[in-house]
Amino acid sequence: MLAPIPALADYGISPDHGFLPPEPPLEALPDPYYAKWEWIASNLQSLLHSGRMRDVVNSLPILQTRYLHSEDEWRRAYVVLTFMLHGYVWGGKTPEERIPPQLTIPLLEVCNHLELPPVLTYAAVCLWNYKPIFPDEPAYDLDNLASINALTGSLDERWFYLTSVAIEARGGPAIPLLLQAISAARVGNSRVVTECLQNVAETLDQIGVLLERMYEHCDPYVFYHRIRPYLAGSKNMADAGLPNGLLYDDGSEEPEYRQYGGGSNAQSSLIQFFDIALGIKHRPTGEARPVSTPSKDEKEGVAGAPRHGFIQEMRTYMPGPHRRFLEHVSAVANIREYVEARRSDKALCLAYDACLVMLRAMRDKHIQMVSRYIIVPSRDARSRAPETSSTRRPSLAMNLANVRPGSKKLRGTGGTALIPFLKQARDETGEPAIDAWARRLLSNGPAEPSFAALSKLGEHPDGHLEVVGLAGTWTADDTEGGICHW
């Protein structure tokens, strides 16, 4: 018996706004008991600039979470505490590895409730950290959005977050459309499947347009040197001064060191949802496309073993309900197999291939963005490193993205010696194409030959690898780099 089609309400997902909350996030916790937390969150820039962030946090009382009632309040507490956490860790000349009980105890309780790790995730900086300027205007209008909290306070940082918020809002209505297509495929209604896929292709095209708006107000230099360091995780960050990760002091006799990757757009449930629903399979980097046909279970939409360690790892950084929703969709996805079995239906095949074309085009645009925001600034930083190291005090950015002596590799702030597999993810997006012309189109390289070639390091043949973050670790070899994985 086939699994039921997931109901969005069961996973807290909005048919209009997708993985964004149905109502705009809280701008502050309503109970005055948490006023000291909110004061720090609203004064992050001043506290970091003055170097007093750690002193203020250390002077806090240990506040309890029993006055958090609604899910909105738990989410707001998570945003406030994780912003405080990253300000505390990275807001000094050297990173601080010990997290005091004033932060650790309430943060771990909040994370346990929300099923999230104690680190600044995509959910904290994007999904639950925005407000519409005019509530009656759409949330996918970037000119109608403002972020609630930011570490640097710069327009560049806020725009970086808000571009993703707008993409989430614009892509939200595509979620029920693809679920409707899955349902229609079960009963053989090709007309409905075709119409749904046509609408999804248009939505993906609009998402690509929104992605390109990143350039309007987020300067690559500011992102690389000012914003990215504060978003760093604690995994494999020995070069930055965190050889063991972070020590979360919960007041026990033996507090634990923990390591987490930094925030990443790979933690967006929306992009993974598109891949799952459209039947796009991602393999460990360097692994060739198999020639065998899908198994019987795969054809019937039964979820098999995870194929890609990085993608599965990123799901642990998603809110619990969103993670379970993706697992449910994996068990019912049937669109690719349905279209492959009806190659004579030209309208259906064209609509499906159009979705792949638009999603691949978005990934092409992202590769361009990675080149501009990471590869070029990292090369500039390397070329100036010998001169600046002897004439000026190392900045926070240089502490977190340094070059080992005798090595060409630039270690970034996400905590690992790898980058996301942008090129392979893009190429895999076109593999399910049905029409011969579409397959030729989607098998070509990027539209512009000047794109920097990207590859991911450190992934093993079985798909296991370390976690990379939005402020991830990149190699600075001539052909490698990355911001985040889409």
Side-chain angles (χ1 to χ4, degrees):
M1 182 177 178
L2 295 177
I5 305 297
L8 296 181
D10 292 345
Y11 300 96
I13 299 169
S14 164
D16 299 317
H17 302 115
F19 297 99
L20 297 173
E23 299 296 329
L26 290 178
E27 296 182 37
L29 290 167
D31 196 315
Y33 176 76
Y34 300 109
K36 291 184 178 180
W37 286 359
E38 289 290 355
W39 182 87
I40 293 175
S42 62
N43 288 278
L44 282 171
Q45 299 82 46
S46 299
L47 293 171
L48 291 170
H49 187 265
S50 65
R52 301 180 65 181
M53 179 72 184
R54 292 170 184 168
D55 290 340
V56 170
V57 171
N58 289 335
S59 67
L60 283 174
I62 299 176
L63 300 183
Q64 306 300 313
T65 59
R66 62 174 176 266
Y67 300 110
L68 300 173
H69 302 297
S70 68
E71 285 301 298
D72 286 343
E73 292 177 17
W74 284 98
R75 292 168 182 165
R76 176 59 189 165
Y78 179 75
V79 172
V80 170
L81 291 170
T82 51
F83 268 90
M84 288 168 57
L85 171 71
H86 280 243
Y88 189 91
V89 172
W90 301 113
K93 295 179 181 179
T94 59
E96 175 57 56
E97 70 168 10
R98 177 188 170 275
I99 311 305
Q102 293 93 324
L103 260 180
T104 296
I105 292 175
L107 176 58
L108 293 182
E109 291 177 2
V110 169
C111 290
N112 182 62
H113 179 87
L114 296 172
E115 303 174 73
L116 281 166
V119 67
L120 196 65
T121 60
Y122 180 87
V125 299
C126 295
L127 298 182
W128 304 336
N129 185 41
Y130 77 95
K131 58 182 178 181
I133 300 172
F134 300 100
D136 57 338
E137 295 183 9
Y140 58 78
D141 182 357
L142 258 172
D143 299 318
N144 185 45
L145 291 175
S147 61
I148 300 172
N149 292 109
L151 286 155
T152 67
S154 65
L155 173 61
D156 305 77
E157 180 186 357
R158 296 178 186 276
W159 193 256
F160 184 70
Y161 301 154
L162 294 174
T163 301
S164 290
V165 173
I167 287 171
E168 293 283 343
R170 192 64 194 88
I175 299 174
L177 280 174
L178 283 169
L179 294 181
Q180 183 182 0
I182 291 171
S183 181
R186 286 187 169 186
V187 297
N189 192 334
S190 295
R191 180 185 61 81
V192 171
V193 176
T194 301
E195 291 175 354
C196 290
L197 291 176
Q198 289 170 342
N199 289 327
V200 170
E202 292 177 4
T203 298
L204 289 169
D205 183 38
Q206 293 161 354
I207 287 175
V209 172
L210 282 172
L211 179 61
E212 289 186 303
R213 293 196 63 188
M214 179 73 75
Y215 301 119
E216 293 180 15
H217 297 297
C218 185
D219 180 82
Y221 180 91
V222 175
F223 171 80
Y224 187 83
H225 292 281
R226 300 287 181 258
I227 301 168
R228 187 178 62 96
Y230 283 112
L231 302 176
S234 56
K235 192 162 190 175
N236 291 351
M237 294 295 283
D239 289 351
L242 298 176
N244 302 308
L246 297 179
L247 183 67
Y248 288 82
D249 186 353
D250 59 0
S252 64
E253 294 183 359
E254 297 182 359
E256 295 181 351
Y257 277 100
R258 303 188 187 194
Q259 296 185 7
Y260 298 100
S264 169
N265 278 358
Q267 297 161 10
S268 166
S269 302
L270 179 67
I271 305 304
Q272 287 208 25
F273 169 76
F274 286 135
D275 280 340
I276 294 168
L278 294 172
I280 297 167
K281 309 296 184 183
H282 294 295
R283 301 179 297 277
T285 303
E287 182 177 307
R289 181 182 182 182
V291 295
S292 59
T293 57
S295 67
K296 181 176 183 291
D297 283 349
E298 286 176 324
K299 289 182 178 181
E300 293 183 356
V302 177
R307 284 290 300 122
H308 202 289
F310 175 70
I311 290 175
Q312 292 299 125
E313 186 76 26
M314 287 297 96
R315 291 187 190 177
T316 66
Y317 291 77
M318 298 175 185
H322 297 176
R323 181 167 61 248
R324 287 188 289 276
F325 173 73
L326 295 182
E327 293 168 356
H328 193 162
V329 175
S330 296
V332 301
N334 61 2
I335 295 173
R336 175 178 176 177
E337 292 74 25
Y338 183 82
V339 177
E340 286 177 340
R342 290 160 179 80
R343 294 175 180 270
S344 61
D345 189 333
K346 296 302 182 183
L348 174 66
C349 294
L350 179 61
Y352 178 75
D353 286 346
C355 290
L356 302 184
V357 169
M358 295 305 173
L359 188 55
R360 188 186 191 278
M362 184 188 72
R363 285 180 159 134
D364 267 340
K365 293 174 182 179
H366 187 243
I367 291 175
Q368 280 186 308
M369 189 170 291
V370 167
S371 298
R372 186 168 176 178
Y373 281 83
I374 295 298
I375 295 179
V376 173
S378 70
R379 288 173 180 167
D380 290 345
R382 279 194 300 158
S383 66
R384 292 195 302 266
E387 175 185 352
T388 57
S389 62
S390 61
T391 59
R392 55 187 291 191
R393 184 178 67 184
S395 66
L396 177 63
M398 288 304 295
N399 287 338
L400 297 181
N402 53 60
V403 181
R404 290 177 176 174
S407 172
K408 293 177 64 179
K409 292 183 179 180
L410 172 71
R411 293 190 60 82
T413 59
T416 62
L418 61 94
I419 61 170
F421 63 172
L422 300 178
K423 280 186 66 178
Q424 182 166 321
R426 178 203 64 203
D427 296 341
E428 289 164 343
T429 301
E431 288 179 357
I434 305 300
D435 183 78
W437 176 83
R439 287 198 301 273
R440 288 197 302 272
L441 175 68
L442 289 166
S443 66
N444 291 336
E448 296 293 337
S450 60
F451 288 175
L454 304 176
S455 63
K456 184 178 60 198
L457 304 178
E459 184 174 356
H460 304 290
D462 63 358
H464 172 72
L465 45 77
E466 308 291 347
V467 179
V468 71
L470 167 87
T473 298
W474 306 276
T475 64
D477 295 335
D478 289 343
T479 61
E480 296 172 344
I483 297 180
C484 46
H485 162 62
W486 276 18

